[in-house]
Amino acid sequence: MENLRLHRFSVVLAFCTLILVVAGGLVTSNDAGLSVPDWPLSYGKLMPKMEGGIFYEHGHRMVATTVGFLTIILAVWLWRGERRAWLRWLGVAALGAVVAQGVLGGLTVLFLLPKPVSIAHACLAELFFSTTAAIALFTSAGWRKGPLPVDDAGTPGLRLLAVAAAAVTLAQVALGAAARHQALNIIPHVCGALAVTGMVLWVTLRVLVGHPRHAPLRRAALFLLSLACFQVFLGIAAYMSRVATADAPQPMPVMVGFTVAHVAVGALTMAASVLLAIQVFRHVRRPARELAVGGVTVTS
Amino acid sequence: MKRFWIACGALSVLLLAGCGGGKEESAKKEEAAPAPAAAPIDEANAATVTGKVSFEGTAPKMATIDMSANPACAREHSTAQKSEEVVVNGNGTLRYVFVWVKQGVPDRQWPAGAPVELDQKGCMYAPHVIGVMTGQNIEIKNNDPTNHNIHPLPRINQEWNQSQPPKGEALIKSFPREEVMIPVKCNVHPWMRSYIGVVSHPFFAVTGEDGTFTIKGLPPGNYTIEAWHEKYGTQDLPVTVAPKESKTVDFSFKG
Ligand SMILES: [Cu+2]
């Protein structure tokens, strides 16, 4: 019962974090990042008048504060109620990440959006979201049932492929953030999209063809595959709407909508790639050669 | 539980150590060295350059600004506010062109004029383009019932960002280095944009409703005059003026 509540709470935190990602994306797309020049207060107050860009910037700060408090609660809860030491520490790491993320957000305001800080803020956001999604998975009833081991005959190994897919996705998030904050042009991000699509197709098809009846693996693979496809479509829509409205005197809703959707589905894709990698490491046995060398298997 | 708090403590120490160093870097860059004081300005022999900036082609239709999400701004306008990116005057001239003497002005300390006003009215900058001398004060006013943030985006001068409450006290600002042009924006109202030209001498002007400009008090000599427009870029023209001479330099931008 206690475990179910903890799991539900972690799902709520993950969901609030996704909303936070949307709120952050709205700030950047509406060019509202500096509409509140002070931090941590807003216009010297806890609650300024929510008008224009201030609505997006201060709204983002409010959602962020909520997520911060929820993360504190989750970390304490895990620390007191969780038997698995590594999961207790993952809670602490999540708390550290959310505090660091808040500080990065403050630095973007005080130092007038330095590109490296803005990009780091965007990347850490997706990593934090992936962490909350992973905690939700680790506390789920399905995870508690234990692994359903399967063998992997292919080369390169499925574990390697899954980690590579998550790593390429993270790199793609960074390239997207760099394009968004004008540190790079769009070309590397477009090339990255090809790389991510290739990696995602490779790893998910390997899973779907090799283990079609393994429910946790199949679900994780289908989740990642569908998100990645949708994300490519949103990326094209975001780019086209940006080009089409380039002459507009202000950020246009069509551009803001597609861009923020692209950011949110990007976060979901990132998390899905992490969850697939976790499931692969949990269920897919190491090839025999590796076992002979003597690997340590993680069990809960 | 104890280890949890120790872990949190360690994290916060790390974070504080990580961000402690940053603040000093905003220390002011050294101000531009003052030009040497030369002989008194010879006003009796001063020349004048006048001209107009005409516009060729069809005037582009400017987009209407959507202020519906900001009732405090929308209320200030009885008719739809258009973008001021390109304003073609009734006489076929171009408004908001910054004209300045780019080359040839003797290097000396020139007297700066009175503060130049930059108002925020109906969530628009008024005027859209201004010029000041290096060090000359800009008086930024907020005539609106709404908060603004004023955020210049210079490449040479120091960037800053400051808020101004409704009908708030004027902000007095200046830029120490020559820079043509500095965009200024408000992130509360993302359509708000203006430009400030900062020049190390007083020989500049901005075209208004008749598209003309006048630059007075120039010492006799050879000069390059530049006209800058936010959409159509810059144009340079040479001019030579003799003592007390008045010359005309006309620019023309193609739409
Ligand atoms: Cu404003």
mmCIF file of all heavy atoms in Angstrom, chain B residues 190-227:
data_model
loop_
_atom_site.group_PDB
_atom_site.id
_atom_site.type_symbol
_atom_site.label_atom_id
_atom_site.label_comp_id
_atom_site.label_asym_id
_atom_site.label_seq_id
_atom_site.Cartn_x
_atom_site.Cartn_y
_atom_site.Cartn_z
ATOM 1 N N PRO B 190 6.608 41.338 -26.423
ATOM 2 C CA PRO B 190 7.695 40.947 -27.324
ATOM 3 C C PRO B 190 7.708 41.686 -28.669
ATOM 4 O O PRO B 190 8.655 41.537 -29.417
ATOM 5 C CB PRO B 190 7.483 39.439 -27.507
ATOM 6 C CG PRO B 190 6.086 39.165 -27.095
ATOM 7 C CD PRO B 190 5.713 40.213 -26.091
ATOM 8 N N TRP B 191 6.688 42.468 -28.983
ATOM 9 C CA TRP B 191 6.734 43.246 -30.230
ATOM 10 C C TRP B 191 7.498 44.551 -30.033
ATOM 11 O O TRP B 191 7.861 45.202 -31.007
ATOM 12 C CB TRP B 191 5.306 43.567 -30.698
ATOM 13 C CG TRP B 191 4.550 44.395 -29.694
ATOM 14 C CD1 TRP B 191 4.635 45.752 -29.544
ATOM 15 C CD2 TRP B 191 3.651 43.929 -28.693
ATOM 16 N NE1 TRP B 191 3.834 46.155 -28.500
ATOM 17 C CE2 TRP B 191 3.214 45.056 -27.962
ATOM 18 C CE3 TRP B 191 3.173 42.673 -28.352
ATOM 19 C CZ2 TRP B 191 2.320 44.952 -26.906
ATOM 20 C CZ3 TRP B 191 2.278 42.577 -27.303
ATOM 21 C CH2 TRP B 191 1.860 43.710 -26.588
ATOM 22 N N MET B 192 7.745 44.943 -28.785
ATOM 23 C CA MET B 192 8.361 46.253 -28.531
ATOM 24 C C MET B 192 9.825 46.211 -28.916
ATOM 25 O O MET B 192 10.601 45.407 -28.397
ATOM 26 C CB MET B 192 8.235 46.640 -27.053
ATOM 27 C CG MET B 192 6.842 47.056 -26.644
ATOM 28 S SD MET B 192 6.744 47.458 -24.892
ATOM 29 C CE MET B 192 7.700 48.963 -24.810
ATOM 30 N N ARG B 193 10.212 47.126 -29.830
ATOM 31 C CA ARG B 193 11.584 47.147 -30.284
ATOM 32 C C ARG B 193 11.919 48.568 -30.711
ATOM 33 O O ARG B 193 11.117 49.219 -31.367
ATOM 34 C CB ARG B 193 11.724 46.206 -31.477
ATOM 35 C CG ARG B 193 13.141 45.959 -31.907
ATOM 36 C CD ARG B 193 13.164 44.865 -32.946
ATOM 37 N NE ARG B 193 13.651 43.605 -32.377
ATOM 38 C CZ ARG B 193 14.945 43.259 -32.344
ATOM 39 N NH1 ARG B 193 15.855 44.048 -32.854
ATOM 40 N NH2 ARG B 193 15.321 42.120 -31.819
ATOM 41 N N SER B 194 13.083 49.026 -30.298
ATOM 42 C CA SER B 194 13.544 50.316 -30.785
ATOM 43 C C SER B 194 15.044 50.232 -30.983
ATOM 44 O O SER B 194 15.656 49.211 -30.652
ATOM 45 C CB SER B 194 13.175 51.437 -29.816
ATOM 46 O OG SER B 194 14.097 51.478 -28.754
ATOM 47 N N TYR B 195 15.602 51.296 -31.562
ATOM 48 C CA TYR B 195 17.030 51.297 -31.836
ATOM 49 C C TYR B 195 17.636 52.601 -31.348
ATOM 50 O O TYR B 195 17.045 53.677 -31.504
ATOM 51 C CB TYR B 195 17.292 51.145 -33.338
ATOM 52 C CG TYR B 195 16.896 49.790 -33.864
ATOM 53 C CD1 TYR B 195 15.591 49.550 -34.282
ATOM 54 C CD2 TYR B 195 17.816 48.753 -33.916
ATOM 55 C CE1 TYR B 195 15.216 48.301 -34.743
ATOM 56 C CE2 TYR B 195 17.454 47.500 -34.378
ATOM 57 C CZ TYR B 195 16.149 47.280 -34.793
ATOM 58 O OH TYR B 195 15.771 46.048 -35.246
ATOM 59 N N ILE B 196 18.838 52.468 -30.770
ATOM 60 C CA ILE B 196 19.567 53.647 -30.322
ATOM 61 C C ILE B 196 20.900 53.692 -31.061
ATOM 62 O O ILE B 196 21.659 52.719 -31.030
ATOM 63 C CB ILE B 196 19.815 53.592 -28.795
ATOM 64 C CG1 ILE B 196 18.490 53.498 -28.035
ATOM 65 C CG2 ILE B 196 20.622 54.819 -28.343
ATOM 66 C CD1 ILE B 196 18.664 53.342 -26.526
ATOM 67 N N GLY B 197 21.162 54.821 -31.719
ATOM 68 C CA GLY B 197 22.463 55.025 -32.347
ATOM 69 C C GLY B 197 23.343 55.822 -31.396
ATOM 70 O O GLY B 197 22.936 56.881 -30.923
ATOM 71 N N VAL B 198 24.515 55.287 -31.077
ATOM 72 C CA VAL B 198 25.425 55.972 -30.157
ATOM 73 C C VAL B 198 26.668 56.384 -30.947
ATOM 74 O O VAL B 198 27.355 55.541 -31.519
ATOM 75 C CB VAL B 198 25.821 55.066 -28.975
ATOM 76 C CG1 VAL B 198 26.713 55.828 -28.005
ATOM 77 C CG2 VAL B 198 24.591 54.518 -28.271
ATOM 78 N N VAL B 199 26.922 57.689 -30.982
ATOM 79 C CA VAL B 199 27.980 58.239 -31.819
ATOM 80 C C VAL B 199 28.890 59.089 -30.933
ATOM 81 O O VAL B 199 28.433 59.724 -29.981
ATOM 82 C CB VAL B 199 27.356 59.078 -32.963
ATOM 83 C CG1 VAL B 199 28.414 59.707 -33.837
ATOM 84 C CG2 VAL B 199 26.424 58.223 -33.807
ATOM 85 N N SER B 200 30.190 59.116 -31.267
ATOM 86 C CA SER B 200 31.148 59.819 -30.403
ATOM 87 C C SER B 200 31.167 61.325 -30.660
ATOM 88 O O SER B 200 31.976 62.052 -30.107
ATOM 89 C CB SER B 200 32.545 59.243 -30.627
ATOM 90 O OG SER B 200 32.911 59.432 -31.974
ATOM 91 N N HIS B 201 30.290 61.843 -31.540
ATOM 92 C CA HIS B 201 30.216 63.271 -31.840
ATOM 93 C C HIS B 201 28.754 63.647 -32.060
ATOM 94 O O HIS B 201 27.909 62.737 -32.142
ATOM 95 C CB HIS B 201 31.069 63.588 -33.083
ATOM 96 C CG HIS B 201 30.689 62.735 -34.261
ATOM 97 N ND1 HIS B 201 29.504 62.897 -34.938
ATOM 98 C CD2 HIS B 201 31.307 61.688 -34.851
ATOM 99 C CE1 HIS B 201 29.427 62.006 -35.911
ATOM 100 N NE2 HIS B 201 30.507 61.248 -35.869
ATOM 101 N N PRO B 202 28.446 64.919 -32.163
ATOM 102 C CA PRO B 202 27.012 65.279 -32.253
ATOM 103 C C PRO B 202 26.461 65.327 -33.685
ATOM 104 O O PRO B 202 25.375 65.882 -33.889
ATOM 105 C CB PRO B 202 26.986 66.676 -31.615
ATOM 106 C CG PRO B 202 28.338 67.236 -31.884
ATOM 107 C CD PRO B 202 29.310 66.097 -31.992
ATOM 108 N N PHE B 203 27.162 64.746 -34.663
ATOM 109 C CA PHE B 203 26.734 64.909 -36.058
ATOM 110 C C PHE B 203 25.926 63.701 -36.527
ATOM 111 O O PHE B 203 26.420 62.811 -37.231
ATOM 112 C CB PHE B 203 27.948 65.174 -36.945
ATOM 113 C CG PHE B 203 28.774 66.319 -36.425
ATOM 114 C CD1 PHE B 203 30.075 66.123 -35.982
ATOM 115 C CD2 PHE B 203 28.224 67.591 -36.326
ATOM 116 C CE1 PHE B 203 30.816 67.176 -35.470
ATOM 117 C CE2 PHE B 203 28.955 68.647 -35.804
ATOM 118 C CZ PHE B 203 30.256 68.447 -35.373
ATOM 119 N N PHE B 204 24.672 63.686 -36.104
ATOM 120 C CA PHE B 204 23.749 62.605 -36.478
ATOM 121 C C PHE B 204 22.331 63.150 -36.450
ATOM 122 O O PHE B 204 22.075 64.226 -35.877
ATOM 123 C CB PHE B 204 23.893 61.413 -35.528
ATOM 124 C CG PHE B 204 23.667 61.766 -34.081
ATOM 125 C CD1 PHE B 204 22.380 61.844 -33.561
ATOM 126 C CD2 PHE B 204 24.740 62.035 -33.223
ATOM 127 C CE1 PHE B 204 22.166 62.184 -32.234
ATOM 128 C CE2 PHE B 204 24.532 62.368 -31.901
ATOM 129 C CZ PHE B 204 23.242 62.447 -31.398
ATOM 130 N N ALA B 205 21.416 62.434 -37.094
ATOM 131 C CA ALA B 205 20.009 62.830 -37.102
ATOM 132 C C ALA B 205 19.163 61.599 -37.423
ATOM 133 O O ALA B 205 19.682 60.599 -37.929
ATOM 134 C CB ALA B 205 19.771 63.915 -38.161
ATOM 135 N N VAL B 206 17.875 61.692 -37.118
ATOM 136 C CA VAL B 206 16.941 60.610 -37.446
ATOM 137 C C VAL B 206 15.846 61.213 -38.312
ATOM 138 O O VAL B 206 15.309 62.281 -37.987
ATOM 139 C CB VAL B 206 16.329 59.997 -36.171
ATOM 140 C CG1 VAL B 206 15.349 58.878 -36.534
ATOM 141 C CG2 VAL B 206 17.415 59.459 -35.247
ATOM 142 N N THR B 207 15.520 60.561 -39.434
ATOM 143 C CA THR B 207 14.480 61.119 -40.299
ATOM 144 C C THR B 207 13.115 60.961 -39.642
ATOM 145 O O THR B 207 12.839 59.968 -38.985
ATOM 146 C CB THR B 207 14.457 60.416 -41.672
ATOM 147 O OG1 THR B 207 14.201 59.033 -41.478
ATOM 148 C CG2 THR B 207 15.758 60.606 -42.415
ATOM 149 N N GLY B 208 12.297 61.988 -39.850
ATOM 150 C CA GLY B 208 10.966 61.999 -39.244
ATOM 151 C C GLY B 208 9.884 61.937 -40.291
ATOM 152 O O GLY B 208 10.030 61.257 -41.318
ATOM 153 N N GLU B 209 8.813 62.713 -40.044
ATOM 154 C CA GLU B 209 7.634 62.621 -40.895
ATOM 155 C C GLU B 209 7.838 63.160 -42.302
ATOM 156 O O GLU B 209 7.065 62.849 -43.205
ATOM 157 C CB GLU B 209 6.466 63.363 -40.226
ATOM 158 C CG GLU B 209 5.932 62.587 -39.057
ATOM 159 C CD GLU B 209 4.904 63.372 -38.259
ATOM 160 O OE1 GLU B 209 4.330 64.329 -38.827
ATOM 161 O OE2 GLU B 209 4.692 63.036 -37.079
ATOM 162 N N ASP B 210 8.861 64.000 -42.516
ATOM 163 C CA ASP B 210 9.107 64.478 -43.882
ATOM 164 C C ASP B 210 10.312 63.790 -44.514
ATOM 165 O O ASP B 210 10.709 64.114 -45.625
ATOM 166 C CB ASP B 210 9.292 66.009 -43.888
ATOM 167 C CG ASP B 210 10.466 66.436 -43.021
ATOM 168 O OD1 ASP B 210 11.083 65.547 -42.377
ATOM 169 O OD2 ASP B 210 10.767 67.646 -42.978
ATOM 170 N N GLY B 211 10.935 62.871 -43.789
ATOM 171 C CA GLY B 211 12.036 62.088 -44.357
ATOM 172 C C GLY B 211 13.321 62.873 -44.558
ATOM 173 O O GLY B 211 14.211 62.418 -45.279
ATOM 174 N N THR B 212 13.429 64.058 -43.961
ATOM 175 C CA THR B 212 14.648 64.845 -44.151
ATOM 176 C C THR B 212 15.526 64.771 -42.904
ATOM 177 O O THR B 212 15.095 64.329 -41.840
ATOM 178 C CB THR B 212 14.325 66.323 -44.404
ATOM 179 O OG1 THR B 212 13.697 66.850 -43.230
ATOM 180 C CG2 THR B 212 13.409 66.507 -45.599
ATOM 181 N N PHE B 213 16.757 65.201 -43.103
ATOM 182 C CA PHE B 213 17.664 65.294 -41.954
ATOM 183 C C PHE B 213 18.540 66.526 -42.119
ATOM 184 O O PHE B 213 18.748 67.017 -43.240
ATOM 185 C CB PHE B 213 18.535 64.032 -41.847
ATOM 186 C CG PHE B 213 19.461 63.831 -43.008
ATOM 187 C CD1 PHE B 213 20.738 64.377 -43.003
ATOM 188 C CD2 PHE B 213 19.043 63.109 -44.127
ATOM 189 C CE1 PHE B 213 21.593 64.212 -44.084
ATOM 190 C CE2 PHE B 213 19.892 62.936 -45.209
ATOM 191 C CZ PHE B 213 21.173 63.484 -45.187
ATOM 192 N N THR B 214 19.031 67.044 -41.022
ATOM 193 C CA THR B 214 19.935 68.185 -41.031
ATOM 194 C C THR B 214 21.049 67.928 -40.025
ATOM 195 O O THR B 214 20.776 67.619 -38.870
ATOM 196 C CB THR B 214 19.191 69.473 -40.637
ATOM 197 O OG1 THR B 214 18.096 69.650 -41.541
ATOM 198 C CG2 THR B 214 20.103 70.692 -40.706
ATOM 199 N N ILE B 215 22.280 68.034 -40.495
ATOM 200 C CA ILE B 215 23.424 67.903 -39.597
ATOM 201 C C ILE B 215 24.174 69.228 -39.630
ATOM 202 O O ILE B 215 24.707 69.613 -40.662
ATOM 203 C CB ILE B 215 24.333 66.727 -40.027
ATOM 204 C CG1 ILE B 215 23.574 65.401 -39.879
ATOM 205 C CG2 ILE B 215 25.609 66.705 -39.197
ATOM 206 C CD1 ILE B 215 24.308 64.192 -40.422
ATOM 207 N N LYS B 216 24.151 69.921 -38.498
ATOM 208 C CA LYS B 216 24.705 71.283 -38.431
ATOM 209 C C LYS B 216 26.024 71.302 -37.682
ATOM 210 O O LYS B 216 26.317 70.400 -36.900
ATOM 211 C CB LYS B 216 23.736 72.171 -37.659
ATOM 212 C CG LYS B 216 22.613 72.744 -38.487
ATOM 213 C CD LYS B 216 21.880 73.784 -37.651
ATOM 214 C CE LYS B 216 20.390 73.796 -38.019
ATOM 215 N NZ LYS B 216 19.573 74.289 -36.955
ATOM 216 N N GLY B 217 26.789 72.367 -37.890
ATOM 217 C CA GLY B 217 27.965 72.630 -37.070
ATOM 218 C C GLY B 217 29.191 71.813 -37.431
ATOM 219 O O GLY B 217 30.129 71.705 -36.642
ATOM 220 N N LEU B 218 29.197 71.251 -38.673
ATOM 221 C CA LEU B 218 30.331 70.431 -39.095
ATOM 222 C C LEU B 218 31.540 71.298 -39.423
ATOM 223 O O LEU B 218 31.414 72.282 -40.172
ATOM 224 C CB LEU B 218 29.959 69.652 -40.353
ATOM 225 C CG LEU B 218 29.437 68.222 -40.226
ATOM 226 C CD1 LEU B 218 29.071 67.711 -41.609
ATOM 227 C CD2 LEU B 218 30.478 67.310 -39.579
ATOM 228 N N PRO B 219 32.728 70.961 -38.947
ATOM 229 C CA PRO B 219 33.925 71.679 -39.398
ATOM 230 C C PRO B 219 34.133 71.390 -40.886
ATOM 231 O O PRO B 219 33.786 70.316 -41.345
ATOM 232 C CB PRO B 219 35.054 71.074 -38.571
ATOM 233 C CG PRO B 219 34.406 70.267 -37.492
ATOM 234 C CD PRO B 219 33.032 69.917 -37.980
ATOM 235 N N PRO B 220 34.672 72.333 -41.653
ATOM 236 C CA PRO B 220 34.934 72.079 -43.074
ATOM 237 C C PRO B 220 35.799 70.827 -43.224
ATOM 238 O O PRO B 220 36.706 70.605 -42.418
ATOM 239 C CB PRO B 220 35.693 73.320 -43.543
ATOM 240 C CG PRO B 220 35.404 74.366 -42.512
ATOM 241 C CD PRO B 220 35.122 73.661 -41.229
ATOM 242 N N GLY B 221 35.533 70.008 -44.264
ATOM 243 C CA GLY B 221 36.339 68.795 -44.444
ATOM 244 C C GLY B 221 35.649 67.769 -45.313
ATOM 245 O O GLY B 221 34.591 68.010 -45.877
ATOM 246 N N ASN B 222 36.309 66.603 -45.425
ATOM 247 C CA ASN B 222 35.768 65.473 -46.208
ATOM 248 C C ASN B 222 35.136 64.460 -45.258
ATOM 249 O O ASN B 222 35.777 64.050 -44.298
ATOM 250 C CB ASN B 222 36.887 64.763 -46.976
ATOM 251 C CG ASN B 222 37.588 65.708 -47.918
ATOM 252 O OD1 ASN B 222 36.949 66.500 -48.607
ATOM 253 N ND2 ASN B 222 38.909 65.661 -47.923
ATOM 254 N N TYR B 223 33.930 64.048 -45.601
ATOM 255 C CA TYR B 223 33.215 63.132 -44.699
ATOM 256 C C TYR B 223 32.559 61.983 -45.457
ATOM 257 O O TYR B 223 32.305 62.087 -46.663
ATOM 258 C CB TYR B 223 32.104 63.890 -43.941
ATOM 259 C CG TYR B 223 32.638 65.004 -43.069
ATOM 260 C CD1 TYR B 223 32.519 66.344 -43.462
ATOM 261 C CD2 TYR B 223 33.267 64.708 -41.866
ATOM 262 C CE1 TYR B 223 33.006 67.357 -42.662
ATOM 263 C CE2 TYR B 223 33.764 65.718 -41.059
ATOM 264 C CZ TYR B 223 33.628 67.041 -41.465
ATOM 265 O OH TYR B 223 34.129 68.033 -40.667
ATOM 266 N N THR B 224 32.297 60.922 -44.703
ATOM 267 C CA THR B 224 31.419 59.859 -45.202
ATOM 268 C C THR B 224 30.160 59.903 -44.358
ATOM 269 O O THR B 224 30.215 59.857 -43.130
ATOM 270 C CB THR B 224 32.086 58.475 -45.051
ATOM 271 O OG1 THR B 224 33.338 58.503 -45.704
ATOM 272 C CG2 THR B 224 31.206 57.388 -45.642
ATOM 273 N N ILE B 225 29.030 60.040 -45.029
ATOM 274 C CA ILE B 225 27.746 60.044 -44.325
ATOM 275 C C ILE B 225 27.114 58.668 -44.501
ATOM 276 O O ILE B 225 27.084 58.138 -45.618
ATOM 277 C CB ILE B 225 26.786 61.111 -44.907
ATOM 278 C CG1 ILE B 225 27.500 62.434 -45.129
ATOM 279 C CG2 ILE B 225 25.540 61.263 -44.043
ATOM 280 C CD1 ILE B 225 27.647 63.296 -43.935
ATOM 281 N N GLU B 226 26.638 58.111 -43.406
ATOM 282 C CA GLU B 226 25.977 56.814 -43.498
ATOM 283 C C GLU B 226 24.516 56.953 -43.106
ATOM 284 O O GLU B 226 24.187 57.647 -42.142
ATOM 285 C CB GLU B 226 26.646 55.787 -42.593
ATOM 286 C CG GLU B 226 25.997 54.402 -42.705
ATOM 287 C CD GLU B 226 26.709 53.344 -41.870
ATOM 288 O OE1 GLU B 226 26.410 53.244 -40.662
ATOM 289 O OE2 GLU B 226 27.572 52.653 -42.425
ATOM 290 N N ALA B 227 23.660 56.265 -43.880
ATOM 291 C CA ALA B 227 22.242 56.175 -43.523
ATOM 292 C C ALA B 227 21.953 54.721 -43.176
ATOM 293 O O ALA B 227 22.317 53.817 -43.926
ATOM 294 C CB ALA B 227 21.372 56.625 -44.690
#
